[in-house]
Amino acid sequence: MKQALEKVLQDNPLLWRGGEISKATAEGISTGYEMLDNILPSRGWPVNALVEVVCPRWGIGELQLLLPALIKVSQQSRRLIWIAPPFVPYAPGLLNSGIVMEQAIVIPEEKVTTSASWTMEKILKTQSCGIAMSWPKRLQDKTVRRLQLAAETGNSLGFLFRTVEAKSSAAALRLRVTSSAEGLQIEILKARGGGRFKKIFLPQP
Amino acid sequence: MPSRNLALPLILSETPTLPEVANAPVEEKNSALWLCIHLPNMPLEILNLKNVENPQCVLTEVAGRWLIHTPCELAADRGVASGMALNAAYALCPDLQVYRRTLLQEKQQLKQLADWAYQFSSMVSIVEPQSLLLEIQGSLQLFGGLSALLKKIEESLLTKWQYTLQMAVTPTPLASRLFAQIGKSIIVEQSSGLRSALGDLSINTLLLDDHKTVKKLAKIGVSTLQDLWRLPRDGLARRFGQALINHLDKLLGDKPDLQHLHELPLIFDASVELPMEAANHKSVLIAAEKILQGLEKYLRNHDAGLTQLFVRLYHYDHPPQNLSVGFRQTTRCAEHIQSLFQERLDNLKLMAPVTEVRLMVKEIIPFVTCSDALFASQTLPVVDLLPANAKQLSDPDWESTLEQLQNRLGQQAVLQLQVVDDHRPEHAWAYGEPLPCGTQDKAELRPTWILPKAKHLIVRNGTPWLRGPLCFLQGPERIESGWWQGDDVCRDYYIARDGDSSRVWIYRDLKQRDCWYLQGYFG
């Protein structure tokens, strides 16, 4: 009976236990944007969790959203890992914004080929990684669940960037990011431990 | 004592065996028993000559002259002897075929023989140029007695190499060598029997380095060792020096005779045949698991570790497949090795069903452990308590993850992002090992993404176009550099907003007319 229950919990991303909410409401890493912190249940990026960011295409400002957290984590001597990014992270730009470059590690797409999810899972499971970011081409719901579990066992924050919005996802937090003339529009699609799903605008710098 | 005339014809063992009681001090003293294996014809036999109808011999060069070293049986019958000048040998035997001695090969062969001899004794010593010494007292019980052991050694050696053998067993290394060298197969188990066994030997066979002493001894009428022992010891020492006395003491075991023990080279090579051909990775892994456990034991016994493991998979009708597993740190944990091996195996396409798995370690290195934190716990933020660089140095968790990633994705997959001191944007970053950090002008705003190869933008009505007309926010910033590398750039950079209202970094190439390029995103 217990096994069957575990299996259902394991396979169905729509199901999650109520007990996980208390974990999710623990203090997170500040996003660096007060408006965004205010609407997130953990008052920042959730710790030891997977965050899914859905945006129509790359380069609209989705990395800008992460930048304050990246800076803070790198300054704590924890690693930032780009897994199969769509473009090359520009070192002078990152340095100028305050990221400690010794912590910046890139695994280029041509090296990862089909193992992006595997790589992400391995990295999330380690204790020494700060933030892992991945841009997977295709992703099954089951894989997202695995990554979420990996993030929970490890000590890092995982970001999944996707262009298509799946019906459901096991990620602890899901955001949709779109750019508009006024700024970046952020819509919370799902947040563990909170029902206040809101839409905000972050003005462009 | 019953006669044990099995392998060797002459047995000298005078003292009757005492009943096995603890208080037998005389017996205890004879703790060592040395077997000397002498290969008298090795210089000739190592050449592996086929034609045995003609007389043959091996030559050595001594002081610019060619001398006969080892004649074959046929040549020896016709009077060719060791130490004879080549011309004299030709006079006796005009159809003599001569070969140069291959000392290097002989040395290697002796080493191989010593490796082989390790199965019989843990104390094996090479006596150059053509003998081996084995301490066999400790092996007697295991191999079921002396005669059984000697028989086994002889059989094993002859099945592997066809060498003429001369063996002798005595309680001292020197006496064994002496008997083996003159070809007297003898077993002397007690050192009390040694004196009478050696007595009849000529002093020429004494293996003394100093030939003058032998000549001098011959002059005073000493021809056998027995004669030598009759002379007073102090007088002998005064006249011929302490070296002779020491030599005689070593011969009889009154003085210890230290031997250089041969050490086995540290390599690991084991294979396992699968019970049936396996086309899936899992069976291969299960087979390898057994060897890996043996490997761990082997490494622990030697207090060693490995950094690279070679695996060879054999197929029935295909050439074998090779793969190597690299480790970032010396390891000897079977579980760890297996997990990485599994990673590599998962990525390998089996060409054909596997019949045999072979694991090899070519370099075994001393194991160095690093200590774990005593109070390390997953829930505690240990990370923040440590100074930043201390954590970087000893980060076994990250190292092992890195190892797994590199094994699966390739050695060059995980790259460190760096800033390079260059004004040209596409040259201002690099992947690789940490370099001294560039001194970037912090005032300029730079994007977070870069396109290593800039994308050409179309121009409509004189304005560059990206998902709509581009709206300039900031610029221009002139970058002109790199002429000394033949890759000079002359560009005006702008920050602009594209038709989709995201910020981009573009430039106009000043060397071409109206050419706009997309360089990066402020994504």
Side-chain angles (χ1 to χ4, degrees):
Chain A
M1 174 63 198
K2 191 162 188 293
Q3 273 180 350
L5 193 65
E6 284 294 328
K7 197 176 173 337
V8 172
L9 277 169
Q10 190 82 28
D11 293 344
N12 195 340
L14 288 169
L15 287 175
W16 45 281
R17 289 176 176 181
E20 287 167 2
I21 294 172
S22 58
K23 268 195 276 173
T25 47
E27 195 75 13
I29 304 168
S30 167
T31 60
Y33 301 98
E34 213 186 329
M35 282 168 76
L36 186 57
D37 282 354
N38 284 340
I39 59 164
L40 290 173
S42 49
R43 306 266 322 143
W45 300 119
V47 283
N48 301 357
L50 192 69
V51 179
E52 207 180 300
V53 179
V54 183
C55 48
R57 56 182 182 82
W58 315 129
I60 59 162
E62 73 282 4
L63 207 61
Q64 218 74 42
L65 193 65
L66 266 64
L67 212 53
L70 292 177
I71 294 163
K72 199 169 155 197
V73 165
S74 78
Q75 281 167 356
Q76 286 170 350
S77 305
R78 297 175 67 195
R79 289 183 180 81
L80 312 174
I81 303 176
W82 279 258
I83 302 161
F87 315 109
V88 177
Y90 193 45
L94 299 174
L95 180 71
N96 283 358
S97 51
I99 286 178
V100 180
M101 289 312 289
E102 281 75 47
Q103 304 300 335
I105 285 165
V106 180
I107 306 177
E109 196 183 352
E110 66 267 23
K111 301 284 181 187
V112 175
T113 56
T114 54
S115 313
S117 304
W118 175 87
T119 311
M120 181 79 168
E121 193 185 347
K122 282 282 169 214
I123 287 172
L124 285 177
K125 274 183 181 168
T126 65
Q127 299 295 314
S128 51
C129 169
I131 293 181
M133 293 158 276
S134 177
W135 286 258
K137 289 230 170 66
R138 280 181 304 276
L139 207 58
Q140 289 180 324
D141 290 347
K142 234 169 25 183
T143 322
V144 180
R145 170 133 205 129
R146 277 182 74 112
L147 293 177
Q148 168 65 30
L149 287 174
E152 280 168 23
T153 56
N155 195 19
S156 48
L157 178 57
F159 281 95
L160 275 184
F161 292 94
R162 305 177 71 176
T163 42
V164 277
E165 190 183 322
K167 257 190 275 166
S168 62
S169 162
L173 178 66
R174 291 179 80 203
L175 305 172
R176 188 193 287 128
V177 178
T178 40
S179 71
S180 63
E182 301 98 82
L184 218 53
Q185 180 190 302
I186 299 160
E187 194 181 340
I188 297 180
L189 300 173
K190 171 194 172 182
R192 261 189 205 174
R196 303 168 291 166
F197 297 161
K198 286 177 186 167
K199 219 186 259 187
I200 55 156
F201 279 106
L202 289 183
Q204 289 278 13
Chain B
M1 173 174 250
S3 166
R4 283 190 264 160
N5 200 350
L6 274 169
L8 302 164
L10 184 59
I11 292 154
L12 276 179
S13 186
E14 292 180 343
T15 37
T17 30
L18 294 168
E20 281 188 19
V21 279
N23 51 1
V26 189
E27 284 298 293
E28 270 181 322
K29 205 184 155 202
N30 293 333
S31 51
L33 202 57
W34 291 89
L35 162 70
C36 180
I37 304 172
H38 183 67
L39 310 167
N41 293 339
M42 188 170 77
L44 189 67
E45 283 163 342
I46 202 170
L47 299 173
N48 215 353
L49 301 167
K50 294 279 176 290
N51 183 9
V52 284
E53 278 139 43
N54 289 338
Q56 297 155 330
C57 72
V58 172
L59 301 177
T60 55
E61 200 177 3
V62 178
R65 288 175 67 212
W66 286 104
L67 299 180
I68 305 292
H69 187 270
T70 318
C72 76
E73 215 174 312
L74 211 61
D77 283 346
R78 287 162 67 174
V80 178
S82 176
M84 193 179 259
L86 183 57
N87 285 346
Y90 272 135
L92 287 169
C93 191
D95 56 344
L96 188 69
Q97 289 179 351
V98 295
Y99 301 92
R100 198 177 287 202
R101 196 172 168 198
T102 52
L103 264 174
L104 201 71
Q105 276 183 37
E106 282 177 37
K107 263 187 191 175
Q108 282 169 354
Q109 177 70 80
L110 265 184
K111 261 189 200 142
Q112 277 181 28
L113 277 163
D115 291 348
W116 156 85
Y118 236 83
Q119 58 184 309
F120 300 108
S121 167
S122 58
M123 290 166 78
V124 178
S125 147
I126 296 176
V127 185
E128 299 223 2
Q130 48 207 72
S131 311
L132 279 184
L133 271 173
L134 278 74
E135 201 290 307
I136 51 169
Q137 183 76 51
S139 319
L140 289 184
Q141 204 171 4
L142 178 65
F143 288 92
L146 185 58
S147 49
L149 174 62
L150 292 176
K151 204 171 164 189
K152 201 155 191 175
I153 290 177
E154 197 172 347
E155 268 172 17
S156 162
L157 197 141
L158 290 179
T159 49
K160 220 165 170 191
W161 296 285
Q162 261 74 49
Y163 284 125
T164 316
L165 281 185
Q166 290 175 1
M167 300 206 288
V169 181
T170 73
T172 67
L174 201 56
S176 298
R177 277 175 59 193
L178 212 148
F179 282 125
Q181 211 130 337
I182 60 167
K184 193 167 178 178
S185 299
I186 195 169
I187 296 175
V188 183
E189 282 188 83
Q190 307 297 329
S191 53
S192 50
L194 206 51
R195 200 175 263 261
S196 51
L198 286 163
D200 296 335
L201 298 185
S202 150
I203 54 163
N204 290 325
T205 59
L206 206 51
L207 295 172
L208 269 175
D209 297 331
D210 191 4
H211 290 286
K212 271 188 192 163
T213 315
V214 180
K215 273 187 190 165
K216 269 198 243 169
L217 283 169
K219 267 186 199 162
I220 61 164
V222 176
S223 59
T224 62
L225 286 175
Q226 223 163 359
D227 298 338
L228 202 58
W229 281 319
R230 285 203 192 103
L231 298 174
R233 193 180 156 91
D234 54 343
L236 210 58
R238 221 176 308 135
R239 206 156 158 186
F240 298 99
Q242 191 62 37
L244 178 66
I245 300 291
N246 286 348
H247 193 77
L248 291 175
D249 283 349
K250 279 182 187 171
L251 188 63
L252 292 176
D254 295 335
K255 242 193 189 138
D257 188 4
L258 300 180
Q259 302 294 320
H260 283 285
L261 291 186
H262 173 71
E263 277 173 29
L264 269 188
L266 283 177
I267 49 162
F268 182 87
D269 188 346
S271 58
V272 64
E273 227 170 295
L274 301 184
M276 53 200 281
E277 286 191 6
N280 60 342
H281 291 120
K282 206 173 169 188
S283 319
V284 175
L285 202 68
I286 290 168
E289 202 179 331
K290 281 182 206 157
I291 316 180
L292 285 173
Q293 244 124 50
L295 175 63
E296 182 179 339
K297 212 179 257 175
Y298 175 85
L299 291 172
R300 279 189 191 282
N301 286 347
H302 287 85
D303 194 26
L306 57 89
T307 51
Q308 201 165 28
L309 176 74
F310 294 92
V311 184
R312 192 169 290 171
L313 304 175
Y314 291 92
H315 308 294
Y316 173 61
D317 52 359
H318 252 277
Q321 272 176 289
N322 291 314
L323 58 132
S324 82
V325 187
F327 299 86
R328 289 181 61 82
Q329 281 173 327
T330 26
T331 182
R332 62 182 177 199
C333 171
E335 212 176 304
H336 180 204
I337 299 171
Q338 195 187 336
S339 70
L340 282 198
F341 172 56
Q342 191 173 359
E343 285 318 339
R344 287 287 285 115
L345 197 65
D346 284 347
N347 271 12
L348 186 84
K349 194 170 169 282
L350 292 178
M351 305 297 285
V354 179
T355 56
E356 193 183 345
V357 183
R358 182 172 168 198
L359 268 68
M360 288 167 284
V361 182
K362 288 180 183 156
E363 203 180 356
I364 286 173
I365 30 197
F367 188 72
V368 187
T369 71
C370 55
S371 43
D372 284 333
L374 183 58
F375 301 109
S377 128
Q378 289 205 341
T379 49
L380 277 173
V382 186
V383 173
D384 297 332
L385 298 174
L386 286 163
N389 44 1
K391 193 167 64 63
Q392 289 276 326
L393 285 175
S394 60
D395 197 347
D397 180 44
W398 170 247
E399 285 292 321
S400 83
T401 309
L402 202 54
E403 199 169 53
Q404 288 181 3
L405 295 179
Q406 287 183 337
N407 254 300
R408 173 135 171 187
L409 308 174
Q411 286 297 320
Q412 304 299 319
V414 185
L415 301 162
Q416 165 98 52
L417 193 63
Q418 294 155 5
V419 177
V420 180
D421 217 354
D422 200 309
H423 287 293
R424 291 166 293 172
E426 63 267 50
H427 292 286
W429 65 278
Y431 286 143
E433 294 298 308
L435 290 168
C437 240
T439 49
Q440 275 284 319
D441 192 357
K442 286 226 167 194
E444 306 298 343
L445 194 59
R446 289 284 179 265
T448 45
W449 292 119
I450 191 166
L451 306 175
K453 203 172 179 307
K455 190 178 153 197
H456 189 257
L457 294 176
I458 47 167
V459 179
R460 284 183 191 162
N461 305 329
T463 13
W465 195 274
L466 181 69
R467 286 181 280 266
L470 282 166
C471 159
F472 296 97
L473 299 173
Q474 203 178 316
E477 180 197 345
R478 175 74 50 93
I479 292 179
E480 203 169 353
S481 184
W483 51 267
W484 60 89
Q485 283 180 338
D487 182 22
D488 53 332
V489 298
C490 185
R491 298 165 183 170
D492 273 346
Y493 275 87
Y494 297 87
I495 296 170
R497 195 180 291 285
D498 71 0
D500 216 6
S501 55
S502 48
R503 286 185 307 153
V504 292
W505 204 34
I506 56 166
Y507 69 81
R508 183 165 63 168
D509 198 339
L510 298 176
K511 292 199 286 180
Q512 292 160 297
R513 274 196 71 186
D514 259 354
C515 262
W516 291 86
Y517 292 90
L518 175 66
Q519 183 78 76
Y521 292 102
F522 288 83

